[in-house]
PDB file of all heavy atoms in Angstrom:
ATOM      1  N   LEU A 304     118.016-101.924-127.593  1.00 98.00           N
ATOM      2  CA  LEU A 304     118.724-102.656-126.533  1.00 98.00           C
ATOM      3  C   LEU A 304     120.025-103.256-127.052  1.00 98.00           C
ATOM      4  O   LEU A 304     121.049-103.202-126.373  1.00 98.00           O
ATOM      5  CB  LEU A 304     117.817-103.769-125.976  1.00 98.00           C
ATOM      6  CG  LEU A 304     116.581-103.279-125.200  1.00 98.00           C
ATOM      7  CD1 LEU A 304     115.643-104.438-124.925  1.00 98.00           C
ATOM      8  CD2 LEU A 304     116.997-102.606-123.880  1.00 98.00           C
ATOM      9  N   ARG A 305     119.986-103.811-128.261  1.00 98.00           N
ATOM     10  CA  ARG A 305     121.212-104.349-128.850  1.00 98.00           C
ATOM     11  C   ARG A 305     122.269-103.254-128.975  1.00 98.00           C
ATOM     12  O   ARG A 305     123.462-103.481-128.690  1.00 98.00           O
ATOM     13  CB  ARG A 305     120.918-104.937-130.214  1.00 98.00           C
ATOM     14  CG  ARG A 305     122.140-105.548-130.920  1.00 98.00           C
ATOM     15  CD  ARG A 305     121.882-105.768-132.387  1.00 98.00           C
ATOM     16  NE  ARG A 305     121.564-104.507-133.075  1.00 98.00           N
ATOM     17  CZ  ARG A 305     121.105-104.439-134.319  1.00 98.00           C
ATOM     18  NH1 ARG A 305     120.873-105.544-135.009  1.00 98.00           N
ATOM     19  NH2 ARG A 305     120.853-103.255-134.880  1.00 98.00           N
ATOM     20  N   ASP A 306     121.854-102.067-129.369  1.00 98.00           N
ATOM     21  CA  ASP A 306     122.801-100.968-129.552  1.00 98.00           C
ATOM     22  C   ASP A 306     123.391-100.487-128.229  1.00 98.00           C
ATOM     23  O   ASP A 306     124.428 -99.811-128.197  1.00 98.00           O
ATOM     24  CB  ASP A 306     122.134 -99.809-130.273  1.00 98.00           C
ATOM     25  CG  ASP A 306     121.793-100.137-131.723  1.00 98.00           C
ATOM     26  OD1 ASP A 306     122.309-101.165-132.237  1.00 98.00           O
ATOM     27  OD2 ASP A 306     120.989 -99.385-132.327  1.00 98.00           O
ATOM     28  N   LEU A 307     122.729-100.835-127.111  1.00 98.00           N
ATOM     29  CA  LEU A 307     123.257-100.528-125.782  1.00 98.00           C
ATOM     30  C   LEU A 307     124.185-101.617-125.276  1.00 98.00           C
ATOM     31  O   LEU A 307     124.714-101.505-124.150  1.00 98.00           O
ATOM     32  CB  LEU A 307     122.089-100.329-124.793  1.00 98.00           C
ATOM     33  CG  LEU A 307     121.227 -99.090-125.034  1.00 98.00           C
ATOM     34  CD1 LEU A 307     120.008 -99.113-124.102  1.00 98.00           C
ATOM     35  CD2 LEU A 307     122.018 -97.800-124.812  1.00 98.00           C
ATOM     36  N   GLY A 308     124.392-102.668-126.061  1.00 98.00           N
ATOM     37  CA  GLY A 308     125.296-103.739-125.677  1.00 98.00           C
ATOM     38  C   GLY A 308     124.640-104.996-125.164  1.00 98.00           C
ATOM     39  O   GLY A 308     125.326-105.882-124.653  1.00 98.00           O
ATOM     40  N   VAL A 309     123.316-105.117-125.305  1.00 98.00           N
ATOM     41  CA  VAL A 309     122.620-106.311-124.854  1.00 98.00           C
ATOM     42  C   VAL A 309     122.924-107.460-125.796  1.00 98.00           C
ATOM     43  O   VAL A 309     122.750-107.372-127.013  1.00 98.00           O
ATOM     44  CB  VAL A 309     121.094-106.071-124.752  1.00 98.00           C
ATOM     45  CG1 VAL A 309     120.365-107.348-124.427  1.00 98.00           C
ATOM     46  CG2 VAL A 309     120.812-104.987-123.706  1.00 98.00           C
ATOM     47  N   ASP A 310     123.360-108.591-125.212  1.00 98.00           N
ATOM     48  CA  ASP A 310     123.734-109.771-125.990  1.00 98.00           C
ATOM     49  C   ASP A 310     122.621-110.804-126.131  1.00 98.00           C
ATOM     50  O   ASP A 310     122.639-111.613-127.052  1.00 98.00           O
ATOM     51  CB  ASP A 310     124.946-110.471-125.323  1.00 98.00           C
ATOM     52  CG  ASP A 310     126.146-109.557-125.226  1.00 98.00           C
ATOM     53  OD1 ASP A 310     126.670-109.166-126.282  1.00 98.00           O
ATOM     54  OD2 ASP A 310     126.535-109.220-124.083  1.00 98.00           O
ATOM     55  N   GLN A 311     121.688-110.790-125.188  1.00 98.00           N
ATOM     56  CA  GLN A 311     120.585-111.748-125.228  1.00 98.00           C
ATOM     57  C   GLN A 311     119.300-111.101-124.716  1.00 98.00           C
ATOM     58  O   GLN A 311     119.331-110.350-123.725  1.00 98.00           O
ATOM     59  CB  GLN A 311     120.870-112.982-124.377  1.00 98.00           C
ATOM     60  CG  GLN A 311     119.742-114.011-124.393  1.00 98.00           C
ATOM     61  CD  GLN A 311     119.932-115.206-123.489  1.00 98.00           C
ATOM     62  OE1 GLN A 311     118.987-115.798-122.980  1.00 98.00           O
ATOM     63  NE2 GLN A 311     121.200-115.584-123.248  1.00 98.00           N
ATOM     64  N   PHE A 312     118.202-111.407-125.388  1.00 98.00           N
ATOM     65  CA  PHE A 312     116.895-111.077-124.848  1.00 98.00           C
ATOM     66  C   PHE A 312     116.178-112.351-124.504  1.00 98.00           C
ATOM     67  O   PHE A 312     116.007-113.251-125.347  1.00 98.00           O
ATOM     68  CB  PHE A 312     116.045-110.269-125.837  1.00 98.00           C
ATOM     69  CG  PHE A 312     114.660-109.987-125.326  1.00 98.00           C
ATOM     70  CD1 PHE A 312     114.496-109.228-124.166  1.00 98.00           C
ATOM     71  CD2 PHE A 312     113.536-110.467-125.968  1.00 98.00           C
ATOM     72  CE1 PHE A 312     113.230-108.985-123.650  1.00 98.00           C
ATOM     73  CE2 PHE A 312     112.276-110.216-125.486  1.00 98.00           C
ATOM     74  CZ  PHE A 312     112.112-109.470-124.312  1.00 98.00           C
ATOM     75  N   ALA A 313     115.779-112.478-123.240  1.00 98.00           N
ATOM     76  CA  ALA A 313     115.084-113.653-122.748  1.00 98.00           C
ATOM     77  C   ALA A 313     113.609-113.330-122.539  1.00 98.00           C
ATOM     78  O   ALA A 313     113.270-112.417-121.789  1.00 98.00           O
ATOM     79  CB  ALA A 313     115.712-114.158-121.452  1.00 98.00           C
ATOM     80  N   VAL A 314     112.737-114.074-123.215  1.00 98.00           N
ATOM     81  CA  VAL A 314     111.295-113.809-123.237  1.00 98.00           C
ATOM     82  C   VAL A 314     110.622-114.500-122.057  1.00 98.00           C
ATOM     83  O   VAL A 314     110.590-115.738-121.997  1.00 98.00           O
ATOM     84  CB  VAL A 314     110.668-114.299-124.547  1.00 98.00           C
ATOM     85  CG1 VAL A 314     109.152-114.109-124.520  1.00 98.00           C
ATOM     86  CG2 VAL A 314     111.291-113.589-125.742  1.00 98.00           C
ATOM     87  N   TYR A 315     110.081-113.733-121.127  1.00 98.00           N
ATOM     88  CA  TYR A 315     109.208-114.303-120.122  1.00 98.00           C
ATOM     89  C   TYR A 315     107.870-114.641-120.798  1.00 98.00           C
ATOM     90  O   TYR A 315     107.215-113.759-121.349  1.00 98.00           O
ATOM     91  CB  TYR A 315     108.948-113.305-118.986  1.00 98.00           C
ATOM     92  CG  TYR A 315     110.002-113.247-117.924  1.00 98.00           C
ATOM     93  CD1 TYR A 315     110.874-112.179-117.854  1.00 98.00           C
ATOM     94  CD2 TYR A 315     110.117-114.260-116.976  1.00 98.00           C
ATOM     95  CE1 TYR A 315     111.851-112.115-116.854  1.00 98.00           C
ATOM     96  CE2 TYR A 315     111.073-114.203-115.983  1.00 98.00           C
ATOM     97  CZ  TYR A 315     111.934-113.123-115.928  1.00 98.00           C
ATOM     98  OH  TYR A 315     112.893-113.059-114.942  1.00 98.00           O
ATOM     99  N   ALA A 316     107.487-115.904-120.726  1.00 97.00           N
ATOM    100  CA  ALA A 316     106.251-116.321-121.401  1.00 97.00           C
ATOM    101  C   ALA A 316     105.250-116.820-120.373  1.00 97.00           C
ATOM    102  O   ALA A 316     104.863-117.990-120.369  1.00 97.00           O
ATOM    103  CB  ALA A 316     106.561-117.412-122.444  1.00 97.00           C
ATOM    104  N   MET A 317     104.827-115.933-119.480  1.00 95.00           N
ATOM    105  CA  MET A 317     103.808-116.253-118.518  1.00 95.00           C
ATOM    106  C   MET A 317     102.551-115.450-118.853  1.00 95.00           C
ATOM    107  O   MET A 317     102.270-114.412-118.246  1.00 95.00           O
ATOM    108  CB  MET A 317     104.271-115.937-117.082  1.00 95.00           C
ATOM    109  CG  MET A 317     105.128-117.050-116.471  1.00 95.00           C
ATOM    110  SD  MET A 317     106.723-117.264-117.248  1.00 95.00           S
ATOM    111  CE  MET A 317     107.688-116.051-116.380  1.00 95.00           C
ATOM    112  N   HIS A 318     101.853-115.927-119.875  1.00 97.00           N
ATOM    113  CA  HIS A 318     100.625-115.251-120.330  1.00 97.00           C
ATOM    114  C   HIS A 318      99.827-116.225-121.179  1.00 97.00           C
ATOM    115  O   HIS A 318     100.153-117.416-121.250  1.00 97.00           O
ATOM    116  CB  HIS A 318     100.970-113.968-121.103  1.00 97.00           C
ATOM    117  CG  HIS A 318     102.033-114.120-122.152  1.00 97.00           C
ATOM    118  ND1 HIS A 318     101.963-115.030-123.174  1.00 97.00           N
ATOM    119  CD2 HIS A 318     103.207-113.454-122.343  1.00 97.00           C
ATOM    120  CE1 HIS A 318     103.025-114.937-123.939  1.00 97.00           C
ATOM    121  NE2 HIS A 318     103.801-113.993-123.456  1.00 97.00           N
TER     122      HIS A 318
END
Side-chain angles (χ1 to χ4, degrees):
L304 292 170
R305 180 196 60 191
D306 292 346
L307 293 172
V309 174
D310 300 295
Q311 180 184 150
F312 177 60
V314 176
Y315 277 106
M317 277 68 85
H318 48 56

